[in-house]
Amino acid sequence: MQALFNDLVGIVGETGVLREASDMAPYVADVRGFYQGNAQYVVRPRSTDEVAAVVALCVERSVPVQAQGGNTSLCGGSVPFADARGVILSLSRMRRIREIDAANHSMTVEAGCVLAEVQRAAIEADRFYPVSLGAEGSCQIGGNIATNAGGTGVLRYGNTRENILGLEVVLPNASVWNGLRGLRKDNTGFDLKHLFIGSEGLLGIITAATLRLHPLNTRHIAAWLAPVSIEAAVELLGLFQSSLGPQLTAFEVLNSAQLQKVLKHMPDRRSPLDPAHPWHILTELGCTTDEAGLQANLEALLQKAMSSGLLTDAAVASNETQRAAMWNIRHSVTDAIKAAGRGIAHDIAVPVSKIPEFVRRVTPVLEQRFAAIQIVIVGHLGDGNLHFIPLFDFDVWETFPDPQAVIDEVHRLTYGIAMELGGTFSAEHGIGRYLVAEMRQYKSGVELSLMRSIKDALDPRGLFNPQKMIPE
Ligand SMILES: Cc1cc2nc3c(=O)[nH]c(=O)nc-3n(C[C@H](O)[C@H](O)[C@H](O)COP(=O)(O)OP(=O)(O)OC[C@H]3O[C@@H](n4cnc5c(N)ncnc54)[C@H](O)[C@@H]3O)c2cc1C
């Protein structure tokens, strides 16, 4: 063990290796406090060459390598198991913005750059990097790519995958693949970057990326809407999409239970509308020119929605402070749920048209099975993606003799209906260790065996992020 420590220090320097339990604590537990892992060391290289040298050393000594970015994974993907066999390879010291090519609408950044820093750097260059999520103040670009993160901008700009032009990756054999190309067109064989996007640290360590930038929207309007039902919310989405086209940049949904949890546990948040309305939508419009028409378009649309009975009420943010306050509510949901009780998270997606059916079918099934269950829903309606979180008060949770059996049953009932509707059991958070059993249950044998073949080809000794994502 001491030999490994000395050799790691030889590569990354003394400050680059953590071994005290108190120093390693933030790296070995997940953000929600569901998983407690352990590791021999946390290693923090400063360059691609150092990452490659650490990988070479670990592979030579058969030491598992757990890649870690901002450690905001919601599926236990970023923390190792408790056996302390491996090392955590943290990208947090690789934070350089290598290049911004404004004319090419691209920027090349190191994997440890925090998402919010990247967004700011793009804005300073009069460009826009559109991936945005509640954890953007701490999640890293490498982690976003490894999980193909979604977030609130997918409706207009796509997932992380659609915003990546090139990658640099250290492979499990310690070679470095430099695929940092800023091209929109390159039909020269397999497009290998897609192999690593969404691979959750199983196939290689992403050390840098060339990101696709967009024109910067200079005008934004946010509005908070209360549709009469979930069916009306979906109809409203269609109306907004056909009337506003690319001006529509977000269409987020919360049910009343979710909003009330935010208001209760974050007392400085104020609901723009009566929180008792069953459903709430946060929508945003954006455009690159200061079109006076944007506000008028929105108001005309809201009028139309009111008179056709889709909307009960609406509030349009009249300044930046109000707009930020609306987004603060949306971005507080994870903390509110953590404070409110034991939530059983599901990150499902179904075709947008099936969202009402999903909600109408699954809610009574769960309510009949568990008397004290509360159905908390928040999600990216425009993407057909709901974070469906049945929740129990902590005192109720403690009365369950076998909590894991409750989790398993809620999962089975919820995922079963999502899958019947042509959906998925993980829309944007990935698999990690949380959903390995569901991979076995719902993925076809052909898909799983393809995944295993790719994993075995790149990482034959199974040292990169072992026991995650692909069932053994
Ligand atoms: C409040 C909150 C809100 C969130 N909202 C959203 C949301 O709206 N949409 C969404 O998609 N997710 C969301 N998430 C989940 C999470 O933020 C994303 O999955 C994010 O992309 C993870 O980035 P990270 O840097 O924290 O990665 P980590 O959590 O550190 O790692 C995630 C996975 O990626 C791997 N990995 C990390 N870095 C690298 C690398 N450089 N090379 C190879 N593998 C790597 C890890 O091994 C792990 O498997 C949210 C999380 C929180 C806490």
Side-chain angles (χ1 to χ4, degrees):
M1 232 170 128
Q2 188 62 36
L4 177 65
F5 178 79
N6 291 342
D7 289 344
L8 288 169
V9 167
I11 298 168
V12 299
E14 277 207 27
T15 54
V17 187
L18 309 179
R19 63 171 163 177
E20 298 302 327
S22 56
D23 292 334
M24 295 207 299
Y27 299 85
V28 293
D30 76 308
V31 68
R32 284 200 284 215
F34 290 175
Y35 300 106
Q36 181 64 53
N38 208 348
Q40 295 193 51
Y41 309 110
V42 175
V43 191
R44 302 180 304 151
R46 290 159 295 196
S47 67
T48 304
D49 286 347
E50 286 187 5
V51 173
V54 169
V55 166
L57 182 67
C58 289
V59 172
E60 184 196 303
R61 310 266 169 94
S62 297
V63 173
V65 177
Q66 166 71 59
Q68 192 178 91
N71 195 14
T72 65
S73 168
L74 295 177
C75 56
S78 49
V79 289
F81 285 83
D83 55 24
R85 285 178 51 232
V87 299
I88 294 175
L89 195 159
S90 163
L91 280 296
S92 54
R93 294 208 298 179
M94 290 188 61
R95 289 173 77 152
R96 261 186 337 121
I97 292 179
R98 291 190 188 166
E99 188 198 16
I100 300 186
D101 184 346
N104 191 47
H105 278 80
S106 64
M107 73 195 282
T108 298
V109 304
E110 291 184 344
C113 286
V114 169
L115 173 57
E117 287 167 9
V118 168
Q119 295 166 340
R120 275 196 293 276
I123 290 173
E124 278 163 23
D126 196 29
R127 294 290 180 266
F128 180 53
Y129 182 64
V131 176
S132 174
L133 41 123
E136 64 197 25
S138 49
C139 67
Q140 299 175 4
I141 289 295
N144 295 162
I145 296 168
T147 57
N148 184 26
T152 54
V154 177
L155 177 65
R156 167 75 178 84
Y157 298 100
N159 291 293
T160 296
R161 184 181 300 281
E162 282 77 49
N163 292 288
I164 301 300
L165 296 173
L167 288 183
E168 178 186 85
V169 183
V170 174
L171 301 171
N173 66 8
S175 61
V176 179
W177 173 52
N178 184 341
L180 291 172
R181 301 175 194 120
L183 302 174
R184 267 78 183 171
K185 289 186 168 180
D186 180 13
N187 258 347
T188 50
F190 297 149
D191 194 344
L192 294 173
K193 63 178 178 284
H194 290 299
L195 203 54
F196 299 98
I197 301 171
S199 65
E200 297 190 25
L202 269 74
L203 303 181
I205 310 287
I206 298 159
T207 46
T210 302
L211 311 178
R212 179 195 296 270
L213 301 181
H214 299 262
L216 182 63
N217 285 337
T218 50
R219 178 104 171 88
H220 304 273
I221 308 181
W224 195 273
L225 317 176
V228 296
S229 62
I230 188 67
E231 286 80 3
V234 170
E235 216 177 306
L236 207 56
L237 169 67
L239 184 67
F240 271 53
Q241 284 176 309
S242 49
S243 308
L244 297 165
Q247 287 182 342
L248 180 64
T249 55
F251 206 87
E252 300 286 298
V253 67
L254 298 83
N255 72 349
S256 178
Q258 172 65 85
L259 179 57
Q260 314 252 20
K261 302 277 177 228
V262 172
L263 299 175
K264 179 168 174 200
H265 295 282
M266 270 104 204
D268 58 328
R269 308 284 189 266
R270 297 274 171 278
S271 177
L273 298 176
D274 181 351
H277 292 305
W279 294 95
H280 296 260
I281 299 288
L282 169 57
T283 187
E284 185 157 291
L285 279 51
C287 61
T288 51
T289 53
D290 211 2
E291 274 177 36
L294 197 63
Q295 180 114 13
N297 286 353
L298 177 62
E299 278 164 11
L301 210 51
L302 293 179
Q303 203 54 52
K304 190 171 167 187
M306 291 273 189
S307 49
S308 54
L310 295 175
L311 265 187
T312 313
D313 204 356
V316 178
S318 57
N319 53 43
E320 267 307 302
T321 313
Q322 287 184 6
R323 174 178 168 239
M326 288 181 182
W327 278 107
N328 266 340
I329 294 176
R330 173 63 185 87
H331 287 319
S332 304
V333 296
T334 308
D335 288 341
I337 288 167
K338 199 171 166 182
R342 180 57 164 92
I344 305 178
H346 303 81
D347 167 37
I348 66 98
V350 294
V352 173
S353 53
K354 302 278 188 198
I355 289 262
E357 186 179 348
F358 171 77
V359 173
R360 300 262 176 229
R361 278 179 60 185
V362 75
T363 305
V365 168
L366 292 175
E367 284 175 344
Q368 276 158 28
R369 177 65 189 85
F370 300 99
I373 206 164
Q374 303 163 52
I375 303 296
V376 174
I377 302 177
V378 57
H380 314 291
L381 189 69
D383 316 327
N385 175 198
L386 293 185
H387 302 311
F388 182 83
I389 309 164
L391 180 140
F392 295 92
D393 288 342
F394 287 119
D395 52 351
V396 174
W397 185 252
E398 274 155 26
T399 64
F400 290 125
D402 184 355
Q404 189 56 48
V406 176
I407 295 172
D408 292 345
E409 187 170 0
V410 172
H411 279 342
R412 188 176 53 74
L413 296 170
T414 305
Y415 293 136
I417 293 176
M419 298 305 285
E420 265 177 53
L421 294 174
T424 174
F425 55 92
S426 181
E428 60 173 13
H429 294 161
I431 303 301
R433 54 200 272 191
Y434 187 52
L435 293 172
V436 176
E438 281 70 18
M439 288 289 277
R440 191 179 291 112
Q441 185 172 355
Y442 297 116
K443 285 282 185 190
S444 74
V446 174
E447 265 180 297
L448 287 177
S449 110
L450 267 173
M451 287 188 200
R452 268 191 220 106
S453 307
I454 294 169
K455 169 75 173 164
D456 291 347
L458 270 78
D459 179 21
R461 297 174 60 192
L463 291 173
F464 272 43
N465 222 348
Q467 300 173 65
K468 307 276 177 62
M469 191 206 277
I470 308 174
E472 283 166 2

